[in-house]
Amino acid sequence: MIVSCRKTAPKVADVEVSETYVKDNYTKKEVDITMRDGIKLHTTVYSPKDTSKEYPIIMQRTPYSSQPYGAGNFKEKIAPNIHMMQDGYIVVYQDVRGRWLSEGHYENMRAYNPNKTSEKDIDESSDTYDTIDWLVNNVENNNGNVGIWGISYPGFYSTYAVVDAHPALKAASPQASIADFFFDDFHHNGAYLLSYFRATSLFGTPRPDGDKPIDTAWYVLPELPTEDQYQFFLDEGPLKNLDRFFEYETTDTPRMAKEGVTDDYFWNELKEHPNYDEMWQSKGLIQHLKNVKPTVATMVVAGEFDAEDLYGPLETYKNIEKYNADNYNTLVFGPWDHGGWARRKGQNTVGNYYFGDGISEFFQEHIETKFFDHFLKGNGDKNSGLPEAYVFDTGRKDWKTYDTWPPAGVVKKDMYLSADQELTFEPKAVEEVKFISDIKKPVPYSEDIKTVFTPRKYMTDDQRFAARRGDVLVFETEVMENDMTLAGDILAKLKVATTGTAADWIVKIIDVHPADEPAYEGMQDHLKMSNYHLMVRSEVLRGRFRNSFANPEPFVPNQKTDVTIKLQDVFHTIKKGHKLQVQVQSTWFPLIDLNPQTYVDNIFKADESDFKTQTHTVFTDSSIEFSVLE
């Protein structure tokens, strides 16, 4: 039987606008704003046609283009959401330095420069400051207050804006914000996310014609000659065999002659910097959030099932909170994939899993709009009417509000990976559980046969297909007699061994639904909610980085070794009648690349002969530390 099982949604406005609303109600002006070092950044300003009053400025800085270009070409929708578009804001979009129609040279995750001694010393913070300074002094009918928002990479620039912030910047909302490419998007705890392979050229293709501004895409995404991504990457073998996808010989860009270097500077960075060295560390933004000015209110937004940027927003919120105790800093943590809160679909699903109706619409109307209105149009005090944490329980499927995140009342509880596939609150006799990690048959991360630009859906995928493999260890509770609410991070404290000298370790937290759970409309035909294995959280650690991300080290064969993996925050209730399950495995393909399972200095340069099948062991004094709300 299939039922809709829709929860009653909070009341939201039924808003529709015409395709020409922006053109009918806004004037558009494109300007090139000069930065302190003389570089000009292309900027588009949408101003309300009603000039009888003043408006705050809301801006977004992006590497993805402020298109459409040209005076008569308008975006169909502007501003963070439809309500703000209708309520009256001056909306600004800017191509960041070195992208599209902006001058200068682009640096992927440009490092912050805290010691600027001349006008030649620039970074994204100074570019934002100079842009805001020009806007408040040159755009008519602005009220002197500026806000900034952005999702994903634009979220990174939103975070950057609060570092050395301009006095006019009153509100910033980093959403799904990148914080560090060694932990977001292209890496997770040192493991390379092969699933992002096709996105590489987007960030690493040099602009043609001497890096001049350009209004059309100059990069080409690699096209794989198959829809079976798993088989393609398995057949390709070592990562170095993929270099050919990043050789961009053109008339004005001859091939680089240096052996082993491609034309894609981001692919070269990935290859030449496999460890968390000075290059990656310098690009990280988290460590620069210790002195955020109290004049800037921040609202960090994260999707609980965001496959791309989960580390970034959570660490952004936590570090602003830790080091800036008097600031207005809040968190919204909802049941979305990457950027799902910005869409208006009515029914809120991630992959095959349904969470309710009107959730994104509620966020836009009652949280996001309220935040910006208060700090850009209202008195801007701390009494915004919003809580410290607006979080969605993805098990109970409802919103909760808290004065802190994680909430008061959370306690740490260990559960043990015991023998006979049991997950227990008390440790039992220490035994060895072994499995063979066959590099010719790695564990897939999804049942789907497709080629993706970036992964999303797998975050809520039914994991029973993995539970039934011999190279995936399963540990499970009995049917829960009471609800158990997980609220905060999860720490997997594994004790392992391997016959080789290298291994990856993957831990997945699963909510096993009861047999009588009804199916939802819109699920893939081969699935049922009966016994659905919902992946609540998952994470990988490349084992060489178990003690240091900067200084990798091999395993000693057959030696019992501690491997600790931090899984990002969750807010999920394992309900009475469900079971809590933990899966442990060593491959997750092609979400992450294959570990050779013999230690090499740089996996990007490993040879075919380095890849070996190994036997791994998990000891039953391994445990999972949950944050449990009591």
Side-chain angles (χ1 to χ4, degrees), residues 183-214:
F183 302 97
D184 285 310
D185 289 301
F186 291 90
H187 297 93
H188 274 208
N189 291 328
Y192 169 59
L193 264 72
L194 185 58
S195 49
Y196 283 75
F197 171 78
R198 295 187 64 233
T200 306
S201 59
L202 180 63
F203 304 107
T205 306
R207 284 194 300 187
D209 197 19
D211 208 9
K212 289 183 180 179
I214 186 171

Side-chain angles (χ1 to χ4, degrees), residues 6-23:
R6 299 185 179 184
K7 294 180 71 69
T8 301
K11 185 177 181 180
V12 293
D14 184 15
V15 181
E16 293 185 10
V17 296
S18 70
E19 293 181 356
T20 62
Y21 181 90
V22 177
K23 189 172 185 177

Side-chain angles (χ1 to χ4, degrees), residues 50 89 118 136 149 185 195 307 350 396 432 436 440 484:
D50 179 2
Y89 277 83
S118 74
V136 295
W149 98 102
D185 289 301
S195 49
V350 178
R396 289 196 178 104
E432 299 178 1
I436 297 172
K440 296 294 185 182
M484 179 180 176

Side-chain angles (χ1 to χ4, degrees), residues 511-574:
D511 179 349
V512 181
H513 289 47
D516 60 355
E517 188 84 5
Y520 295 134
E521 298 171 345
M523 292 183 70
Q524 289 174 281
D525 290 341
H526 72 284
L527 291 177
K528 297 290 183 291
M529 283 305 298
S530 175
N531 197 38
Y532 194 93
H533 285 39
L534 172 67
M535 189 165 73
V536 174
R537 186 60 76 236
S538 56
E539 194 54 277
V540 58
L541 176 72
R542 181 136 284 172
R544 63 178 55 214
F545 298 120
R546 63 194 179 278
N547 295 318
S548 168
F549 289 110
N551 300 298
E553 56 189 287
F555 285 91
V556 176
N558 301 310
Q559 179 173 298
K560 188 175 183 180
T561 306
D562 289 338
V563 172
T564 301
I565 309 172
K566 179 185 175 182
L567 286 73
Q568 301 299 334
D569 292 24
V570 300
F571 187 44
H572 184 89
T573 296
I574 309 295

Side-chain angles (χ1 to χ4, degrees), residues 230-238 241 436-444 469 471 586-589 594-597 607-614:
Y230 178 102
Q231 194 62 47
F232 171 79
F233 284 119
L234 196 62
D235 291 344
E236 282 292 308
N241 293 344
I436 297 172
S437 180
D438 186 345
I439 52 96
K440 296 294 185 182
K441 295 181 179 180
V443 180
R469 285 181 58 114
D471 50 359
S586 194
T587 52
W588 210 13
F589 193 74
L594 278 180
N595 192 317
Q597 303 191 139
D607 295 320
E608 187 79 41
S609 59
D610 295 319
F611 290 77
K612 305 288 185 184
T613 292
Q614 305 289 355

Side-chain angles (χ1 to χ4, degrees), residues 102-361:
S102 286
E103 297 177 347
H105 179 68
Y106 172 70
E107 290 186 18
N108 199 10
M109 299 281 289
R110 189 185 303 275
Y112 170 64
N113 180 2
N115 301 308
K116 302 178 183 70
T117 59
S118 74
E119 291 184 346
K120 297 297 182 183
D121 295 326
I122 59 87
D123 55 22
E124 303 302 340
S125 174
S126 66
D127 281 355
T128 309
Y129 189 104
D130 294 350
T131 299
I132 292 175
D133 200 62
W134 188 93
L135 291 171
V136 295
N137 286 294
N138 291 277
V139 175
E140 295 181 354
N141 298 313
N142 83 81
N143 70 358
N145 293 335
V146 179
I148 190 168
W149 98 102
I151 297 171
S152 194
Y153 216 137
F156 165 77
Y157 295 110
S158 300
T159 306
Y160 224 133
V162 308
V163 181
D164 300 333
H166 191 283
L169 185 65
K170 302 301 183 184
S173 183
Q175 303 180 0
S177 48
I178 302 167
D180 192 317
F181 264 164
F182 205 75
F183 302 97
D184 285 310
D185 289 301
F186 291 90
H187 297 93
H188 274 208
N189 291 328
Y192 169 59
L193 264 72
L194 185 58
S195 49
Y196 283 75
F197 171 78
R198 295 187 64 233
T200 306
S201 59
L202 180 63
F203 304 107
T205 306
R207 284 194 300 187
D209 197 19
D211 208 9
K212 289 183 180 179
I214 186 171
D215 64 359
T216 54
W218 62 97
Y219 48 81
V220 177
L221 304 181
E223 289 296 332
L224 305 187
T226 177
E227 293 183 3
D228 189 343
Q229 185 172 261
Y230 178 102
Q231 194 62 47
F232 171 79
F233 284 119
L234 196 62
D235 291 344
E236 282 292 308
L239 290 175
K240 66 180 183 179
N241 293 344
L242 301 174
D243 283 358
R244 71 183 189 278
F245 287 93
F246 302 109
E247 296 173 352
Y248 309 139
E249 184 173 3
T250 64
T251 303
D252 62 344
T253 309
R255 279 281 300 115
M256 294 180 179
K258 186 177 178 182
E259 181 69 24
V261 177
T262 71
D263 299 304
D264 191 291
Y265 50 82
F266 186 41
W267 180 249
N268 292 336
E269 284 182 344
L270 291 166
K271 286 178 54 180
E272 300 302 324
H273 300 272
N275 307 325
Y276 194 51
D277 58 14
E278 193 278 333
M279 186 207 75
W280 292 116
Q281 292 175 34
S282 71
K283 293 174 180 287
L285 194 53
I286 295 300
Q287 60 267 39
H288 300 299
L289 298 178
K290 295 182 179 179
N291 295 295
V292 176
K293 292 182 180 179
T295 52
V296 184
T298 48
M299 183 180 73
V300 178
V301 182
E304 289 164 292
F305 297 99
D306 189 337
E308 298 172 51
D309 299 301
L310 186 59
Y311 168 91
L314 290 173
E315 289 299 313
T316 297
Y317 167 76
K318 290 178 181 180
N319 278 270
I320 294 176
E321 194 71 12
K322 178 179 179 180
Y323 295 108
N324 308 274
D326 294 331
N327 285 29
Y328 182 98
N329 177 49
T330 60
L331 174 69
V332 182
F333 199 28
W336 301 298
D337 60 7
H338 191 62
W341 51 91
R343 297 185 280 273
R344 299 179 70 86
K345 299 188 299 181
Q347 190 176 37
N348 199 116
T349 60
V350 178
N352 287 291
Y353 204 83
Y354 166 76
F355 292 101
D357 288 345
I359 297 171
S360 298
E361 291 82 352

